[in-house]
């Protein structure tokens, strides 16, 4: 309490609560407002830290702050390693390999030159900080990719580069720092090389051994299911701590290799492990960003001058794009994807955390401009986060590399009902525009795909010109060939109720449970067959079973699209389509919402209503 009072701020417990509330609150607000979450977290940290003085992490958490951030970064990198499934790398493998082998060293060199000639740092500080700048930041890339909905290959390039280069950048900084130590002290070069080699060797061995050991223990049922996540955390912390005690920052390499091994071990329980780790990482990323932003003071930021502004511009426009373009030259990566990757280089938590650590060590060695490393790192992170947070989506759309601008719908089951629904959804999203000669042109409408493991059932969808996927939507082939990120809603409408429930339950975390729907199960009203709310999808209007829905189509029912206006309101729609059931609505802003049974659409001009109604010839088109 004395520490908190001297800082004129909150006590540690309230500070923890504030960090959590701000982090999660920023992410929720970003989701509601469709803004980059990283930008809001950065702003929140600055407001409660330097601006209002409510949060001073160094004063409130004391000596525990640095270990807390180090462990959080280790867990974040481990979770990043868990996403690196080699089987899913496919045609991006060459690009990723060249970005790491060629792009990273070139980026180190150009960053060091920018730091020395533009920012005015000494060569010693520039070499160390330049190595850290290789890091592009998985903590930033993941939220940006989720928001921008990039096509599969450029998304894979950015994600793999960010995660693999994180430990590479940290080790590059370690290598440069060891050289500086040799030059500044009497330490022999041989000793420094031996220490570096031993640290990298120990970290690699620990990471691979930890991953292999855990995979074997889980596969052979040496660890009960309820203890797998706790055991995973304990081994992760042990591997990181031991590796880091041998060579500072080598623990990042160890945990990344450990995650990479587990990701490719083919564990039956991997999905549950990864989802829990992903949830933990969301909390850690938001917390660390708030802490780092709040920890910046106006005194530290005041060292930034016009040279810092020019330095950030040079990094964004030259030191990042040039190495990427050189590394990806003469590869099978198309020019548009090279440009997008070259223009996307956000920095994040790892850069600020590692830069602050090495800045302090450089000052201890007698290099005065080491104290400028942390403010420059923060300025670079703030600039790139804001820039890429607001520009990645528009640039991707301009280059034609967005997986989908409109809310797509994935339908499971190739029945006639599914085909009619898909055609109506496409019509629902069509926009009419007049051409140069006055002719009316219609857009393609909402993207819709029908998936079915039975090839014959997809015949109607193919004849109607609807995109199809032949195979099990839960298969590895579907992960490689179907860009799920392009689809916002999932409708499970296959003939088999158990299969619908399985797919809805398995893909709910991918789409979000509010976006997964399922046709009514045949026996769901029976207490013997009722399922808990955690299984299956949400009910879809009209609440019909597979057989009832397709029988209604055969009897003459149809899906109809109507558009509300100032003159033609919801009550007019009800009068004209008496007995129709509203299935979905598309707002003027482009938001698609499927309606629950007995739920009314919004009465707003421009809203398009998709209804299921009996076909009558005397009705005029709405």
């Amino acid at each position: 309490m004395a520490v908190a009072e001297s800082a004129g701020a909150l006590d540690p417990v309230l500070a923890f609560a504030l960090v959590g509330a701000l982090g999660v609150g920023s992410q929720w607000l970003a989701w509601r407002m469709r803004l980059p979450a990283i930008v809001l977290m950065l702003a929140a940290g600055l407001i409660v830290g330097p601006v209002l003085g409510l949060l001073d992490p160094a004063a409130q958490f004391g000596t525990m702050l640095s270990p807390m951030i180090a462990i959080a970064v280790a867990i974040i990198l481990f979770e990043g390693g868990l996403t690196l499934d080699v089987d899913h790398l496919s045609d991006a493998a060459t690009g990723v390999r060249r970005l790491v082998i060629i792009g990273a060293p070139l980026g180190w060199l150009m960053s060091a030159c920018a730091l020395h000639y533009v920012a005015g740092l000494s060569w010693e500080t520039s070499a160390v900080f330049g190595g850290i700048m290789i890091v592009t930041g998985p903590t930033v890339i993941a939220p940006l990719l989720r928001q921008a909905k990039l096509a599969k290959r450029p998304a894979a390039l950015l994600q793999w580069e960010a995660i693999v280069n994180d430990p590479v950048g940290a080790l590059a900084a370690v290598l440069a720092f060891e050289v500086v130590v040799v030059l500044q002290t009497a330490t022999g070069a041989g000793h420094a090389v031996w220490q570096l080699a031993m640290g990298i060797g120990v970290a690699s061995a620990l990471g691979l051994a930890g991953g292999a050991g855990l995979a074997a223990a889980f596969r052979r049922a040496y660890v009960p299911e309820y203890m797998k996540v706790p055991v995973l955390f304990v081994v992760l912390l042990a591997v990181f701590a031991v590796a880091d005690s041998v060579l500072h920052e080598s623990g990042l390499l160890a945990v990344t290799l450990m995650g990479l091994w587990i990701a490719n071990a083919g564990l039956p329980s991997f999905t549950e492990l990864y989802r829990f780790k992903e949830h933990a990482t969301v909390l850690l990323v938001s917390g660390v960003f708030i802490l780092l932003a709040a920890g910046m003071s106006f005194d530290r930021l005041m060292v930034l001058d016009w040279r810092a502004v020019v330095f950030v511009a040079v990094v964004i426009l030259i030191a990042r794009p040039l190495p990427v373009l050189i590394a990806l030259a003469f590869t099978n990566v198309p020019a548009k994807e090279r440009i997008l990757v070259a223009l996307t280089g956000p920095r994040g938590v790892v850069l600020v955390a590692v830069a602050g650590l090495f800045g302090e060590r450089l000052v201890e060695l007698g290099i005065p401009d080491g104290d400028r490393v942390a403010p420059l790192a923060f300025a670079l992170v703030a600039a790139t986060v804001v820039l890429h947070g607001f520009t990645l989506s528009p640039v991707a759309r301009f280059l034609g590399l967005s997986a989908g601008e409109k809310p797509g719908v994935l339908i499971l089951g190739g029945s006639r009902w599914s085909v009619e629904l898909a055609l109506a959804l496409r019509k629902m999203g069509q926009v009419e525009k007049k051409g140069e000669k006055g002719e009316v042109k219609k857009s393609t409408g909402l993207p819709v795909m029908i998936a079915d493991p039975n090839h014959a059932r997809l015949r109607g969808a193919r004849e109607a010109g609807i995109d199809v996927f032949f195979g099990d939507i839960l298969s590895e082939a579907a992960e490689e060939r179907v860009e799920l990120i392009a689809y916002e809603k999932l409708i499970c409408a296959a003939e088999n109720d158990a299969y619908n429930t399985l797919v809805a339950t398995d893909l709910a975390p991918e789409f979000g449970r509010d976006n997964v729907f399922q046709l009514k199960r045949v026996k769901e009203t029976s207490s013997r067959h009722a399922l808990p709310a955690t299984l299956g999808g949400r009910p879809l209007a009209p609440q019909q079973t597979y057989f009832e829905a397709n029988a209604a189509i055969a009897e003459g029912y149809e899906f109809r699209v109507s558009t509300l206006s100032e003159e033609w309101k919801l009550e007019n729609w009800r009068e004209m389509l008496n007995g129709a059931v509203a299935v979905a609505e598309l707002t003027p802003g482009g938001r698609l919402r499927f309606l629950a049974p007995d739920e009314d659409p919004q009465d707003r001009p421009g809203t398009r209503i998709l209804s299921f109604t009996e076909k009558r010839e005397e009705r005029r088109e709405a």
Side-chain angles (χ1 to χ4, degrees), residues 355-377:
L357 174 66
F358 278 104
E360 293 175 1
R361 293 185 181 173
L362 287 169
V363 172
E364 292 171 2
L365 282 176
I367 301 175
D369 59 2
D371 62 353
R372 295 183 60 198
V373 170
L376 279 173

Side-chain angles (χ1 to χ4, degrees), residues 470-542:
F470 165 52
D472 195 323
I473 197 63
L474 300 180
S475 66
E476 291 187 1
E479 289 186 26
E480 296 176 5
R481 299 176 188 174
V482 179
E483 294 192 21
L484 290 180
I485 199 171
Y487 301 97
E488 188 179 275
K489 312 288 183 182
L490 170 65
I491 298 176
C492 297
E495 182 178 359
N496 189 314
D497 285 336
Y499 183 54
N500 286 336
T501 303
L502 173 64
V503 173
T505 304
D506 191 78
L507 294 182
E510 182 84 23
F511 285 85
R513 295 189 183 276
D514 291 341
N515 296 321
V516 176
F517 301 86
Q518 179 179 351
L519 288 180
K520 180 182 177 182
R521 295 168 55 249
V522 174
K523 298 181 180 181
E524 70 178 23
T525 55
S526 168
S527 60
R528 290 178 177 268
H529 299 89
L531 295 176
T534 54
L535 299 179
R538 295 175 61 194
L540 182 71

